[in-house]
Amino acid sequence: MARIAGVNIPTNKRVVIALTYITGIGNAKAKEICDKVGIPLERRVNELADAEVIQIRETIDSDYMVEGDLRRDTSMNIKRLMDLGCYRGLRHRKGLPVRGQRTHTNARTRKGPAKAIAGKKK
């Protein structure tokens, strides 16, 4: 089992698909990494040599922000908005949608399950 960027990637899948198990790497970046390293797209992870795994690991470490660093960067950006007290930061703080969605009827994912209001029924 290959371990890249702190993630055990599945051995029986193609390399392009297996790389997407790493947070911060999608289809486009996975293909880009395979092109840089020179691995054919149909090659499977269990067919990789140790040198190729090391090359993939070094390429990801040097060129891409993934996993812990990416999560830390995202949370620091949200924290910065909240500390500034800007509109987006206030929405994050209150747990409401940030990007202008309506909240009168929808937004249950952000707001949580509906709470009953006493005396509403007539």
Side-chain angles (χ1 to χ4, degrees), residues 75-93:
S75 65
M76 289 303 295
N77 287 339
I78 293 171
K79 187 179 182 314
R80 177 181 51 83
L81 290 171
M82 288 166 60
D83 291 343
L84 280 173
C86 64
Y87 182 77
R88 282 172 59 202
L90 294 176
R91 302 296 281 185
H92 274 292
R93 202 179 297 163

Side-chain angles (χ1 to χ4, degrees), residues 3-87:
R3 188 167 177 83
I4 298 173
V7 177
N8 293 330
I9 59 175
T11 54
N12 55 347
K13 294 187 184 283
R14 292 185 304 138
V15 178
V16 179
I17 303 301
L19 284 177
T20 61
Y21 280 65
I22 301 170
T23 303
I25 296 180
N27 289 327
K29 284 186 182 177
K31 288 176 186 172
E32 192 177 300
I33 291 167
C34 288
D35 289 341
K36 280 184 185 177
V37 177
I39 295 173
L41 298 178
E42 60 274 357
R43 177 91 62 87
R44 304 222 171 234
V45 175
N46 55 7
E47 298 169 356
L48 289 176
D50 289 338
E52 291 173 324
V53 173
I54 291 170
Q55 277 184 317
I56 291 172
R57 193 176 298 137
E58 289 172 352
T59 304
I60 290 173
D61 287 342
S62 63
D63 298 342
Y64 301 97
M65 185 183 292
V66 292
E67 284 297 324
D69 294 336
L70 183 64
R71 287 195 182 101
R72 191 177 312 106
D73 191 47
T74 305
S75 65
M76 289 303 295
N77 287 339
I78 293 171
K79 187 179 182 314
R80 177 181 51 83
L81 290 171
M82 288 166 60
D83 291 343
L84 280 173
C86 64
Y87 182 77

